[in-house]
Amino acid sequence: MRIGDALLDLARAHGRRSVFVVGTGKNAGKTVAMRAMADAAVARGLRLGITSIGRDGEAVDASDALAKPRLFLRPGTILATARRLLPSHPASELLDFTPWNTAAGPVAFMRVRQAAHYELAGPSTAGGVRACVRRFAEFGCDQIIVDGALDRVAALAGGEDAVVVAAGAATARTIEEAVADVRALAARLGVPRFEQGAPYVRVDGALTAAHASRLVSAREERQVVVRDPTQIALSGKALLGVVSQLRLRCERPLHVVAATIASIGADRYFEPREFARAVASATGLPTFDVYAGEMASAA
Amino acid sequence: MNFGALLDATTAGALDVAWLANQLEPLSEPGRRANERIQPFRPHQEREAQAHADAIARTAKKLGAAEVHAMRDVLRTMPDPLPAIARAAMGEALEDANLLELLRFMDAAVRLQPHVPLDPQAREVLQILEPGRAGKFGFYLSEKFDAALSSARAAADRAQAEFDASRGRLAQRVAADLRRDEIPGSEFIVMRDTIDLLPRGVRVVREAPTYFLCELDLDEAALESLRRRDAAAQAVATAEESVRARVSQALRERAKALEALVELVGELDVHLAHVRFTQQYRCAPAHIVSEPVLRFSNARYLPLEAELEAQGRPYEPVSVDLSGAVVLTGPNMGGKSVALRTCGSIAVLAAFGIPVPAETAGCALFDDVAWLGIGAQEELGGLLSSFAREVVRLNELLARPAAVGLLLVDEFARTTTPHEGKALLVALIRVLQRRGRLAFIATHLDGIAADARVRHFAVRGLKNVPKGAPAGDLQAALAALADSMDYAVYEVTDGGVRQADAVALAHLLGLDDDIVAEAADVLRSERTTS
């Protein structure tokens, strides 16, 4: 099957034009998933806008010196990246500078004129990322892809984006651990819309571990409503515990549409089909192995 | 603006010069650099200061606020080209981002016509960069710069297409052998249980118990097209560098003209900041004089006016005529300190040749504006009492070698005994008079002006005694006070000044009724005794 097309179809359902790929950790396979979608978008003739929250697309990971997939982008693609990462060759069409600062200088928009490898380091603040998505739309992009970051999900707030969650062998020691992580991430980002008319208690601001613990202790049975899933400041086992004991709901749900897996880590392998099936079963999401070209669904 | 050349940090704090600096701040980097170079006019530069203020006023009158706003918008979004110009001047090849900055700067300069003259060399820069214009705001090192670039890129595109086709054929065959729809990325996995043998054209990168991590093993034809693509990409790089070097050299030859243009744009930004200030705050140029005087009619202390405006409360302008040392008296909350601050900020603006927020004004160019008393931030250590700190500060102010100084004194010696405080204040005024210093001295103490034989101004004070506001409602009390207070400053010529209104004000501000009644009794009995 064509994974990029399948992911893109899910991302573009209901007229959505932007998709964020959020991983459970570093090297979870986000860039590979993003590249598959980017290739599919270009093959369909869509005008693509692409960026990353923080740095991505480098040949070597800046923090752990491991080789990383690079982004080979085709002419017409618009990207937002730090000014110091703009390649000298081939020359690109510079569209605009922005005030969003990164470690590699302020972010600039550019249009690819000749196919080449590019590094991405987009805005690192939630406000900057949202503004960046708006600018892509102003530049006429039909499809926007953002390489997200687990600690920057605040950037999803206030958007109508699709979300793809990515799990990889590099992020956990065992399949069980990796599955638990992605299940928690999907549960957090996939908190459903609150039910009108049913009793509820609204949480102003972030739902912290301490606040959630008090609600659990008080055996709160009403819906616990946050503004949007990014306001849930819990992850991993703590989040799964809270989800099982509280009726967590939100006013503005996100649209988690798929999961991807990468069964190859720097120093470990997971059995790909078992991993994909387990992720699909735990998250209830269609789960894609971009490397194997296969998909698993929840039974 | 170098406010530090005119006043110290204590005075700057008391006059809220930070507010003023913020209002006068230009918007662009060249503007900020020009702003940093601004020094106050010194005594004997009256003509220049006057011309400067008049020029600002003329522009403010000539241009509408909307036009000024539009020009400032151009300046706000304009990039700073100076780093790029400096690099070009040093012989470096500029990056495309630098060239876009220069192009946008030149576009901004054109939009600022006729306020920034473009000399022929500057116009040539526009022509040099023009082939790179892409869309409305963009830049691309396009083929219009050089035909060689055009052919190199066309060759690179062909080579890329050949490689894509070559690799695509290989990927298609491998996908078919593996019974897949596609081989999408550079790496893919093949499950061991799905094949007997890996197909030709596949190379194993890593092995796992149940699968192989593979990549396409390019055949000789694909490798050859890859080599051609890389060579073509290198040729593009060489051609692009050659264009950049040529454009950078052309800019280097015009670097002086560009630097001068950047400076002019910066100066215009500063000028427009002052024009906007003049328009927004209805300012007029002061008449700059060589005698040490400060006089104005219907002047406003802008930070307070802005604060009151935000609260929907009116502001009452004041008129003052200072020469030599002058005493100012009046009730609490009557605006004595504000009158002093008005003098200070008008003196500061006039010193920088900027129109002042007054109907009319006449002002010397002061080389030192100093504040002593309430409102000054206390910089000295906690071991000193309030009085001691005042004395130390006064000593320091008197020692300054100002040719034309303005001293603003707010309640000096208020913390010592009234008897001695009065003696000290009278003595200070006499010394200031002898030294020919211009000073405005606010005090609560009686008879100072008469004893020191100087002019005496007073705030009129309460027109009527307002009814007490509901206990604890400070905003209501302040509103009632604003309605009842006459903030006008007038010159006392007959020696008689109204009584202060402290008890009535305390009542208005909600002081305990028993205390207010007792205080009124004490005052009545004092009057009866006298």
Side-chain angles (χ1 to χ4, degrees):
Chain A
M1 78 180 306
R2 294 180 184 276
I3 302 293
D5 278 318
L7 280 169
L8 203 61
D9 286 340
L10 289 165
R12 291 177 66 79
H14 307 292
R16 285 187 285 268
R17 288 201 300 180
S18 50
V19 56
F20 280 59
V21 185
V22 181
T24 52
K26 288 187 71 64
N27 301 311
K30 288 183 295 151
T31 308
V32 173
M34 192 169 82
R35 191 172 58 195
M37 282 191 284
D39 288 346
V42 171
R44 289 185 196 188
L46 297 175
R47 194 174 298 176
L48 178 67
I50 195 163
T51 191
S52 156
I53 302 179
R55 192 178 177 113
D56 222 319
E58 319 94 314
V60 172
D61 190 296
S63 61
D64 56 19
L66 294 173
K68 294 201 70 185
R70 300 177 71 195
L71 280 163
F72 188 79
L73 299 176
R74 298 284 174 179
T77 300
I78 294 177
L79 61 146
T81 193
R83 191 170 151 171
R84 282 208 293 275
L85 299 183
L86 296 176
S88 296
H89 310 293
S92 308
E93 179 184 339
L94 294 172
L95 300 172
D96 203 359
F97 299 123
T98 77
W100 313 317
N101 269 312
T102 73
V107 172
F109 284 95
M110 52 180 270
R111 191 192 319 271
V112 175
R113 299 290 285 253
Q114 285 203 292
H117 283 97
Y118 292 88
E119 286 186 50
L120 295 185
S124 53
T125 64
V129 173
R130 293 268 36 114
C132 187
V133 169
R134 284 195 296 276
R135 289 302 304 275
F136 276 132
E138 286 164 16
F139 286 127
C141 294
D142 313 300
Q143 180 61 51
I144 297 153
I145 302 176
V146 181
D147 198 332
L150 182 59
D151 57 350
R152 298 279 200 279
V153 290
L156 290 162
E160 279 299 321
D161 326 282
V163 181
V164 171
V165 292
T171 66
R173 283 169 300 176
T174 62
I175 285 189
E176 291 70 28
E177 209 176 285
V179 169
D181 286 347
V182 73
R183 185 178 157 216
L185 177 60
R188 178 184 174 196
L189 299 180
V191 165
R193 187 187 296 279
F194 78 104
E195 196 183 323
Q196 294 269 5
Y200 70 92
V201 52
R202 192 181 190 286
V203 178
D204 288 324
L207 176 67
T208 60
H211 194 166
S213 170
R214 282 199 298 276
L215 291 166
V216 169
S217 300
R219 298 179 189 284
E220 180 59 63
E221 289 185 349
R222 293 173 292 176
Q223 303 176 90
V224 175
V225 180
V226 292
R227 191 189 66 206
D228 63 64
T230 69
Q231 294 293 304
I232 300 169
L234 292 154
S235 59
K237 283 182 186 161
L239 177 94
L240 292 174
V242 168
V243 165
S244 67
Q245 295 177 81
L246 294 175
R247 292 175 63 204
L248 268 186
R249 298 291 183 272
C250 69
E251 292 167 349
R252 302 191 60 177
L254 302 175
H255 313 285
V256 184
V257 297
T260 64
I261 62 151
S263 54
I264 310 134
D267 50 9
R268 73 178 70 92
Y269 304 93
F270 290 164
E271 204 295 305
R273 287 174 180 156
E274 183 192 340
F275 188 24
R277 275 196 301 273
V279 169
S281 169
T283 61
L285 295 167
T287 300
F288 298 88
D289 184 337
V290 182
Y291 288 94
E294 291 181 2
M295 186 192 102
S297 301
Chain B
M1 293 168 75
N2 185 8
F3 289 102
L6 193 61
L7 31 74
D8 58 25
T10 301
T11 307
L15 299 182
D16 200 355
V17 166
W19 184 94
L20 204 57
N22 187 43
Q23 293 297 315
L24 296 165
E25 182 79 11
L27 300 168
S28 66
E29 273 310 312
R32 278 186 267 278
R33 283 194 294 271
N35 200 45
E36 278 170 18
R37 293 194 294 268
I38 296 177
Q39 297 291 333
F41 290 101
R42 314 304 295 185
H44 309 301
Q45 289 184 299
E46 287 81 10
R47 192 176 298 172
E48 292 91 328
Q50 187 73 62
H52 194 269
D54 289 346
I56 293 168
R58 267 198 309 278
T59 312
K61 204 170 170 184
K62 189 171 146 197
L63 301 179
E67 197 174 344
V68 172
H69 180 79
M71 288 168 72
R72 280 168 56 86
D73 225 30
V74 172
L75 290 158
R76 183 185 288 111
T77 54
M78 179 191 80
D80 180 13
L82 202 58
I85 297 168
R87 289 183 62 183
M90 286 188 295
E92 286 183 36
L94 297 182
E95 295 161 7
D96 296 357
N98 297 135
L99 300 177
L100 175 56
E101 282 170 341
L102 272 167
L103 181 62
R104 285 193 171 181
F105 171 76
M106 292 307 301
D107 284 347
V110 168
R111 289 175 67 190
L112 294 170
Q113 299 300 301
H115 305 281
V116 181
L118 282 183
D119 76 5
Q121 283 211 325
R123 288 185 191 283
E124 284 166 14
V125 168
L126 259 176
Q127 286 164 10
I128 291 163
L129 296 172
E130 194 57 38
R133 191 183 294 283
K136 203 169 174 187
F137 304 110
F139 181 88
Y140 178 51
L141 200 70
S142 79
E143 294 81 5
K144 291 177 203 160
F145 280 106
D146 193 334
L149 194 52
S150 176
S151 54
R153 281 177 178 159
D157 287 343
R158 277 196 304 276
Q160 179 68 47
E162 278 171 25
F163 173 67
D164 285 346
S166 179
R167 186 192 180 281
R169 279 193 296 276
L170 178 63
Q172 217 170 2
R173 185 171 56 69
V174 169
D177 289 347
L178 293 172
R179 293 186 295 282
R180 291 192 185 178
D181 290 330
E182 61 171 355
I183 300 293
S186 54
E187 289 183 339
F188 54 96
I189 62 177
V190 178
M191 302 305 295
R192 286 176 186 264
D193 60 8
T194 60
I195 48 149
D196 293 326
L197 277 173
L198 280 170
R200 192 164 47 84
V202 170
R203 188 151 56 91
V204 175
V205 182
R206 285 167 72 183
E207 287 192 44
T210 59
Y211 62 87
F212 300 108
L213 177 65
C214 306
E215 63 182 17
L216 289 179
D217 194 12
L218 298 182
D219 55 22
E220 199 44 52
L223 282 172
E224 182 51 40
S225 63
L226 179 61
R227 279 192 286 271
R228 280 199 297 272
R229 185 199 72 171
D230 289 348
Q234 186 53 50
V236 169
T238 306
E240 286 178 348
E241 277 314 303
S242 159
V243 172
R244 287 187 186 113
R246 213 172 56 235
V247 170
S248 302
Q249 174 61 30
L251 294 171
R252 182 186 183 185
E253 287 158 10
R254 293 156 182 85
K256 287 273 177 258
L258 277 171
E259 280 167 10
L261 181 62
V262 173
E263 204 159 306
L264 281 176
V265 169
E267 282 163 13
L268 176 68
D269 192 3
V270 169
H271 183 67
L272 289 176
H274 297 174
V275 167
R276 183 208 67 95
F277 178 84
T278 301
Q279 290 176 332
Q280 180 166 344
Y281 296 109
R282 306 180 308 284
C283 298
H287 179 50
I288 308 293
V289 295
S290 51
E291 313 84 61
V293 296
L294 173 58
R295 58 175 78 97
F296 48 76
S297 64
N298 289 326
R300 290 156 288 131
Y301 177 59
L302 295 177
L304 180 62
E305 186 187 39
E307 194 181 324
L308 290 177
E309 235 170 48
Q311 296 169 15
R313 290 164 55 191
Y315 183 88
E316 195 165 325
V318 294
S319 303
V320 164
D321 181 353
L322 296 185
S323 54
V326 173
V327 170
L328 175 66
T329 60
N332 295 93
M333 301 187 73
K336 297 190 299 295
S337 301
V338 174
L340 262 57
R341 289 188 168 95
T342 309
C343 290
S345 59
I346 284 185
V348 168
L349 285 166
F352 282 98
I354 297 170
V356 301
E359 246 173 50
T360 61
C363 187
L365 288 179
F366 298 99
D367 57 357
D368 183 41
V369 176
W371 181 276
L372 171 68
I374 297 171
Q377 286 173 348
E378 294 179 344
E379 293 171 336
L380 299 165
L383 289 174
L384 295 178
S385 69
S386 303
F387 178 68
R389 276 197 287 265
E390 277 189 332
V391 171
V392 171
R393 167 104 176 129
L394 177 60
N395 251 342
E396 186 239 317
L397 296 180
L398 289 175
R400 285 187 192 171
V404 187
L406 171 63
L407 181 60
L408 302 164
V409 182
D410 199 9
E411 307 282 11
F412 173 64
R414 67 197 175 282
T415 53
T416 188
T417 62
H419 177 66
E420 286 184 296
K422 182 175 174 179
L424 280 167
L425 197 50
V426 169
L428 169 63
I429 293 167
R430 286 178 183 163
V431 168
L432 291 171
Q433 280 284 75
R434 277 204 295 276
R435 295 185 184 179
R437 291 283 285 268
L438 189 66
F440 203 17
I441 299 141
T443 180
H444 265 109
L445 299 172
D446 278 339
I448 300 287
D451 286 5
R453 296 185 182 175
V454 292
R455 291 166 66 208
H456 179 189
F457 284 80
V459 176
R460 286 197 192 280
L462 288 174
K463 293 177 275 194
N464 50 54
V465 178
K467 287 182 184 168
D473 191 347
L474 185 61
Q475 286 306 316
L478 292 174
L481 176 65
D483 289 343
S484 307
M485 186 69 80
D486 182 350
Y487 295 97
V489 174
Y490 70 103
E491 184 160 6
V492 180
T493 50
D494 56 3
V497 188
R498 313 177 36 146
Q499 287 293 318
D501 305 307
V503 175
L505 281 168
H507 178 52
L508 176 70
L509 293 168
L511 185 64
D512 186 283
D513 285 347
D514 282 351
I515 300 174
V516 172
E518 285 286 347
D521 277 350
V522 171
L523 285 175
R524 264 195 300 277
S525 71
E526 272 182 5
R527 278 199 292 273
T528 311
T529 311
S530 65

